[in-house]
Amino acid sequence: MRFQLLGPLALADGPDTVVLQPSKPANLLAALLLNANSTVSAGYLQRAVWGEEQPATAKAALQTCVLRLRRLFAKHGVTGTAIEAVPGGYRIVAGPPTLDLLAYRDQVRRATAMDHDPEAELYTLRDALSLWQGALLANVRSAVLHRDEVPRLAEERLRVVERVCDLLLGLGRCGEALVDLWTATRVYPGHERFHEQLIEALYRSGRQSQALAEYRRVKDFLREELGVDPSPSLRRLELSILRGEDLGPVGQAALAAPAPGQAAPVVSASAEAVGSGSASGAVVSRVVWGETVPQPDAEPPGSEPAPAPGPDLASAPDAVPAPDLAPGPGPATIPTLVTAPALMSAPAPVTVPAPAPVTVPPGAATGAPSAAGACAPSVDAGVGPVPGVPHFTGRAAEAEAMAARLTAPPSTGPADHRALAVVVSGAPGIGKSALAQHVARQVGDAFPAGRLLVRMTRGDGEPRTAGEVSAALADALGATGEGRALLILDDVVDADQVRPLLTPGGPPGPGPGLAVVVTSRMGLGGLIATHGGWVQRLTAFTEAESYGLLLAALGAERVEAEPEAAHRLTAVCGHFPAALRILTARLLTRPALLLADAVDWLGDDPLARLTLTDSPGHSVTGLFDRALDRLDPRLSQAFTHLAQGPPELLADGGPEHEGPVPEAVREQLADAGLLEDGPPGPYRIHGLLRAHVRRTARIRDRRTEKV
């Protein structure tokens, strides 16, 4: 039995093929096969199956969908391939014999190794292209997959078609190349490389007038549709044709395939991709023959495409618009989507975006230290220099205490692990990351070997493995100079994720003076017990700190003109740093809005309005949802019960008619940062978090969507 993805989703057994009907199990199967042999997170699968607007019961329904898919396998006699439930999601194991996508990529890899024999390479690539059987996933009704996965697959195919045409031109078989290129240029009118190949093939075939007519056609298209000029290479080709010059033999560059992992130039007709207004700004796409290299800001397979949680929303208002503080590529280009049928054997429509540029910071590949003395970043692994936190406010006592700890002489702890300096813990959005980064910048002189921020979770909230982080740190720390270095392990999920990094088997440090700061929503008491360290537990701002944040963000003139309204705004936000940061960002975009009017506007529905309309991932509700999604389902259910019930539920006894919530459960919720210390009573729930849970419950109760 063989799965077919390169066309309609189907099951093939020899000459017999069963095209699956559009259904939720088909969506699930496509999502798993597109990321075969990798763990796909449950959150991403839910969106792939139901879309961005998921039913309240999506988590439970996903398990039902998996069961239905397993029954479908049994019905069609699929053996040897199973859907495995793994921590955090599901995985399907496949190989080239059982999945056409993997067979295609395997063929392209083999062709890459045949650069010494163009004829053999051409034959192998054409054999690979024959696996495409029509429009990609035409029977899969998943907007997420067609948005995130189909364009990447179509781009892989375009690169191979482009290579085939280069090989035909290099072998002098221009007539054969014309057959493919006439179709390619009409299907993808903005793809300049195809036009360049077509014009060259026409001219080499003795059809000069047609070559010039084709140049004029593409020039008119680019100017009328995109407002740009043809690329320099196209203009040079036109000039050579006008002069009647001999183009000479096709160079060896056209016949030499890029080595695996080597960047291949891709000319994009996207106006947005051309910053200068000319199509000459060719976008460089890191496309490996046979596989697409994920872009630094793109969502990895198996991950959720929702906005990245990034570091905790912190005390600094200016940091709000940046979802990821780690240095990354330059400004992302927005590709123009070209919808057209696939080439040759795939005449049905596919959507192909121009690829995004990949920018690798200097020294990132080698781990060389930057000019500022910070260790060089490893972008893909979430490792980079510690960024600054502009206009940091509040936390004066905590910052002073942390700075004193970090600048103290390193302790001589046990030989089997490195000393853990500080653990910064607290609720999501309380400002842990901002505090750690602010203090790290303050004490930079004490760490001449550099300071590194290490993101311990991916953009979708899935934890990175210790081995993955250790490999990235080995390069960065191994290239540092003499003296101490500082690591901030940001957003740690649990103690087991960190312990391997604090042992001799962890990343090589620049010496015994390596200092480690951990930020986590969890208390990590077990880590403190085994590795020592000092805990800084953060709570909500004081009233004075909240007011100071408004002053820093909005300016003294605006805030001091309405001091009473400013204090009321901080109260509506519950003195919660994340809420205050979002509020100040919104107020900065509306400079004429009086603070008194903002109080009424915000008070009507604070949860709905504490969000950035142009960046929905920056919202109080999204922040709380991501935190609750990390909980064990039983703990999440217990917390919902506590938040919906009276405050007395948090007491040791609890109301007689409700019954007590076990102390162990309350302790775990407090350790996860969802319960704060009293008074009244031993615990309390922040007002915004309680309101969010109750609001979510009301919305869930109103939903009647059938899953």
Side-chain angles (χ1 to χ4, degrees), residues 228-388:
V228 297
D229 292 321
S231 64
S233 58
L234 262 176
R235 295 200 297 267
R236 286 193 297 269
L237 180 59
E238 181 216 22
L239 186 60
S240 297
I241 295 172
L242 288 172
R243 292 173 175 172
E245 295 176 350
D246 183 2
L247 298 182
V250 177
Q252 291 301 311
L255 293 178
Q262 184 179 356
V266 179
V267 180
S268 167
S270 166
E272 292 87 344
V274 183
S276 62
S278 167
S280 62
V283 178
V284 178
S285 172
R286 294 182 63 198
V287 178
V288 178
W289 291 102
E291 67 180 286
T292 301
V293 178
Q295 310 299 332
D297 288 340
E299 191 167 18
S303 67
E304 300 186 35
D312 264 313
L313 293 170
S315 335
D318 290 358
V320 173
D324 189 353
L325 296 175
T333 60
I334 304 173
T336 299
L337 297 182
V338 183
T339 304
L343 303 180
M344 298 187 296
S345 62
V350 295
T351 304
V352 182
V358 175
T359 304
V360 180
T366 62
S370 69
C375 303
S378 174
V379 176
D380 291 341
V383 179
V386 176

Side-chain angles (χ1 to χ4, degrees), residues 9 20-31 65 69 139-140 145:
L9 180 61
L20 300 183
Q21 293 297 318
S23 63
K24 291 180 175 61
N27 293 357
L28 175 62
L29 178 59
C65 202
L69 192 53
N139 56 334
V140 175
L145 295 182

Side-chain angles (χ1 to χ4, degrees), residues 12 73 84 133 175 184 209 261 299 376 395 408 508 540 565 603 630 646 684 699:
F73 282 8
E84 303 173 355
Q133 299 297 319
S209 60
E299 191 167 18
R395 310 294 191 202
R630 281 194 187 182
R684 61 187 173 90
I699 294 173

Side-chain angles (χ1 to χ4, degrees), residues 476-624:
L477 290 176
T480 59
E482 295 297 326
R484 301 181 72 194
L486 174 64
L487 288 184
I488 298 178
L489 305 181
D490 190 45
D491 200 13
V492 168
V493 175
D494 54 38
D496 289 338
Q497 189 188 22
V498 181
R499 285 195 180 98
L501 303 176
L502 302 176
T503 63
L514 179 68
V516 179
V517 174
V518 168
T519 74
S520 177
R521 299 173 187 177
M522 307 299 293
L524 302 182
L527 187 65
I528 296 296
T530 58
H531 287 72
W534 176 72
V535 178
Q536 179 63 70
R537 184 83 174 180
L538 300 185
T539 59
F541 275 167
T542 64
E543 186 174 352
E545 288 175 324
S546 298
Y547 189 80
L549 192 151
L550 292 189
L551 285 172
L554 304 178
E557 181 179 356
R558 186 176 182 183
V559 174
E560 292 178 351
E562 299 179 82
E564 182 181 352
H567 282 292
R568 289 168 61 197
L569 276 175
T570 63
V572 173
C573 292
H575 305 292
F576 197 70
L580 289 166
R581 286 186 56 199
I582 293 171
L583 170 67
T584 54
R586 294 209 67 172
L587 290 177
L588 283 170
T589 64
R590 303 180 65 181
L593 180 66
L594 294 175
L595 299 188
D597 294 334
V599 173
D600 298 332
W601 165 76
L602 181 63
D604 289 341
D605 191 353
L607 287 172
R609 289 170 180 166
L610 285 173
T611 184
L612 301 181
T613 54
D614 61 338
S615 181
H618 284 91
S619 68
V620 170
T621 56
L623 178 72
F624 290 156

